[in-house]
């Protein structure tokens, strides 16, 4: 009995490996639009796809970021300035893309732009702190997708949305980011089922903790100190000075453990864009595969207990 199950599992994995190795034809004729290409995953992916011969349309927030990217790539790669929080900027970028792809449509849309700010307990935050994160990580992604969708549908192409392992497992003190990434997961699932009728595939990338400009401990620590300063006296009394010091120390320790090999993430993105049979979800990084992903499948009380044990506690926690 067990032998049959092992054989069937082995055959299934061989079939999956064979299917995933099949590559889409004529990649050199396909356009891919990537947001958030100033640095990090987006920047590396743009250079990676350019080396593969694809026609990359890279959206950067700043002209300096765009200029630096162009200096490291071929003449095929083109850049555009895009602020995903502004609809007029997205509409202009969509028209720019339309002029370049023509009747072929847009093969790939990679929603990579994101921020990791408003790091602190809910009691330290206000509505505007949540809005800053949601405007970029969720609403901006939705706005870009809705504008680019007709072009992707025309090409029967791909949509690749960058979520996070925090879109599966919520940790205290990153509540705004948790919400935004859970929203990315929900939007992507809905979009995948809707667009399957049109031959469009949607993939979700769920990285663990990687060292990027967005997640540097210096920026996160600075942001947390700012939120502490604006917190009410009651919140400061409940959480205590030691909470802030302990959390800043944890951020510094986490930064040292973050994976520096960003290609683990961009390889997943590339596979989602170039494979004939892309996966629905990609978990990038061993911490995502072996720790955070398994936690997301545990019963709630067990997941809660694990998160409680590894989290920094408020001074007046019961």
């Amino acid at each position: 009995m067990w032998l049959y199950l092992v054989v069937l599992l082995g055959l299934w994995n061989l079939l999956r490996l064979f299917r995933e190795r099949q590559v889409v034809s004529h990649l050199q004729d396909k356009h891919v639009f990537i947001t958030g290409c100033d640095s990090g995953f987006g920047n590396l992916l743009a250079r990676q796809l350019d080396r593969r011969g694809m026609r990359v349309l890279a959206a950067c927030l700043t002209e300096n970021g765009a200029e630096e990217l162009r200096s490291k790539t071929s003449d095929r790669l083109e850049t555009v300035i895009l602020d995903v929080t502004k609809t007029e900027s997205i509409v202009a970028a969509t028209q720019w893309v339309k002029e370049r792809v023509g009747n072929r449509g847009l093969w790939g849309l990679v929603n990579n732009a994101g921020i990791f700010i408003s790091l602190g307990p809910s009691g330290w935050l206000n509505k505007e702190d949540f809005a800053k994160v949601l405007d970029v990580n969720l609403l901006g992604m939705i706005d870009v997708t809705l504008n680019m969708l007709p072009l992707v549908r025309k090409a029967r192409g791909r949509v690749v949305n960058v979520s996070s392992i925090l879109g599966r497992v919520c940790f205290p003190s990153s509540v705004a980011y948790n919400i935004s990434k859970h929203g990315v997961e929900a939007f992507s699932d809905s979009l995948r089922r809707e667009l399957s009728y049109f031959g469009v595939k949607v993939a979700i990338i769920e990285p663990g903790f990687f060292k990027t400009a967005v997640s540097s401990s210096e920026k996160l620590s600075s942001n947390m100190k700012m939120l502490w300063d604006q917190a009410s006296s009651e919140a400061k009394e409940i959480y205590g000075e030691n909470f802030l010091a302990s959390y800043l120390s944890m951020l510094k320790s986490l930064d040292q453990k973050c994976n520096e090999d960003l290609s683990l993430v961009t390889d997943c993105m590339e596979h989602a864009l170039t494979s004939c049979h892309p996966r629905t979800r990609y978990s990038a990084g061993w911490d995502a595969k072996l720790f955070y992903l398994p936690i997301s499948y545990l019963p709630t009380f067990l997941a809660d207990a694990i998160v409680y044990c590894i989290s920094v506690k408020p001074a007046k926690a019961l």
Side-chain angles (χ1 to χ4, degrees), residues 69-177:
L69 178 59
R70 287 195 300 268
S71 69
K72 297 178 180 178
T73 54
S74 72
D75 294 336
R76 284 189 308 273
L77 183 140
E78 299 182 73
T79 60
V80 65
I81 303 302
L82 173 65
D83 183 345
V84 298
T85 65
K86 297 179 180 177
T87 298
E88 59 272 19
S89 179
I90 295 173
V91 170
T94 303
Q95 182 59 36
W96 179 84
V97 171
K98 188 181 299 185
E99 292 170 357
R100 279 147 184 80
V101 303
N103 293 326
R104 289 170 295 186
L106 180 63
W107 172 255
L109 167 62
V110 182
N111 286 304
N112 166 73
I115 57 174
F116 194 173
I117 60 172
S118 300
L119 184 64
S122 300
W124 298 8
L125 309 178
N126 54 41
K127 181 181 177 181
E128 286 70 29
D129 295 319
F130 285 88
K132 289 176 185 176
V133 179
L134 294 175
D135 277 348
V136 177
N137 294 0
L138 181 57
L139 298 179
M141 182 203 73
I142 292 173
D143 203 0
V144 170
T145 303
L146 295 180
N147 278 273
M148 297 284 180
L149 208 50
L151 299 176
V152 178
R153 194 185 294 118
K154 181 179 289 186
R156 297 173 68 86
R158 310 284 169 84
V159 178
V160 179
N161 292 330
V162 180
S163 179
S164 166
I165 204 61
L166 294 182
R168 284 177 174 259
V169 181
C170 290
F171 278 82
S173 301
S174 59
V175 58
Y177 190 80

Side-chain angles (χ1 to χ4, degrees), residues 63-306:
E63 184 56 48
N64 287 340
E67 185 177 346
E68 184 178 350
L69 178 59
R70 287 195 300 268
S71 69
K72 297 178 180 178
T73 54
S74 72
D75 294 336
R76 284 189 308 273
L77 183 140
E78 299 182 73
T79 60
V80 65
I81 303 302
L82 173 65
D83 183 345
V84 298
T85 65
K86 297 179 180 177
T87 298
E88 59 272 19
S89 179
I90 295 173
V91 170
T94 303
Q95 182 59 36
W96 179 84
V97 171
K98 188 181 299 185
E99 292 170 357
R100 279 147 184 80
V101 303
N103 293 326
R104 289 170 295 186
L106 180 63
W107 172 255
L109 167 62
V110 182
N111 286 304
N112 166 73
I115 57 174
F116 194 173
I117 60 172
S118 300
L119 184 64
S122 300
W124 298 8
L125 309 178
N126 54 41
K127 181 181 177 181
E128 286 70 29
D129 295 319
F130 285 88
K132 289 176 185 176
V133 179
L134 294 175
D135 277 348
V136 177
N137 294 0
L138 181 57
L139 298 179
M141 182 203 73
I142 292 173
D143 203 0
V144 170
T145 303
L146 295 180
N147 278 273
M148 297 284 180
L149 208 50
L151 299 176
V152 178
R153 194 185 294 118
K154 181 179 289 186
R156 297 173 68 86
R158 310 284 169 84
V159 178
V160 179
N161 292 330
V162 180
S163 179
S164 166
I165 204 61
L166 294 182
R168 284 177 174 259
V169 181
C170 290
F171 278 82
S173 301
S174 59
V175 58
Y177 190 80
N178 294 338
I179 292 171
S180 71
K181 293 306 182 181
H182 273 72
V184 170
E185 298 273 343
F187 177 68
S188 301
D189 281 344
S190 301
L191 197 67
R192 184 182 66 254
R193 289 161 185 164
E194 175 189 340
L195 297 182
S196 63
Y197 301 113
F198 304 99
V200 176
K201 300 181 186 298
V202 179
I204 307 172
I205 313 295
E206 299 172 331
F209 287 98
F210 285 82
K211 187 172 290 187
T212 65
V214 171
S215 61
S216 71
S217 62
E218 290 183 6
K219 285 188 177 180
L220 295 179
S221 297
S222 176
N223 177 254
M224 197 166 194
K225 290 176 183 176
M226 180 188 69
L227 291 173
W228 170 261
D229 291 338
Q230 77 177 27
S232 65
S233 56
E234 180 185 7
K236 290 180 179 180
E237 182 182 353
I238 291 173
Y239 284 92
E241 292 279 357
N242 287 338
F243 176 88
L244 178 63
S246 298
Y247 212 103
L248 294 178
S249 176
M250 185 192 72
L251 286 176
K252 187 174 181 180
S253 174
L254 182 62
D255 189 59
Q256 295 171 349
K257 297 175 183 177
C258 281
N259 200 323
E260 297 185 15
D261 186 5
L262 304 188
S263 66
L264 294 175
V265 178
T266 56
D267 285 348
C268 293
M269 296 175 175
E270 182 179 345
H271 186 271
L273 292 166
T274 61
S275 173
C276 291
H277 304 284
R279 300 180 186 178
T280 301
R281 280 179 167 81
Y282 295 82
S283 295
W286 289 113
D287 58 339
K289 290 182 173 69
L290 300 181
F291 185 67
Y292 299 109
L293 192 60
I295 287 178
S296 71
Y297 288 108
L298 290 176
T300 303
F301 77 94
L302 282 178
D304 286 351
I306 293 172

Side-chain angles (χ1 to χ4, degrees), residues 19-68:
R19 281 168 55 86
E20 289 188 349
R21 285 181 175 272
Q22 296 178 359
V23 179
V24 173
S25 60
H26 306 295
L27 288 177
Q28 68 276 8
D29 297 326
K30 299 189 184 301
H31 289 82
V32 177
F33 181 76
I34 310 168
T35 65
C37 291
D38 296 78
S39 63
F41 302 136
N43 185 279
L44 180 57
L45 178 65
R47 290 185 278 124
Q48 199 167 310
L49 296 181
D50 179 64
R51 287 194 298 269
R52 191 148 183 187
M54 299 187 75
R55 298 183 177 276
V56 179
L57 305 175
C60 298
L61 182 61
T62 65
E63 184 56 48
N64 287 340
E67 185 177 346
E68 184 178 350

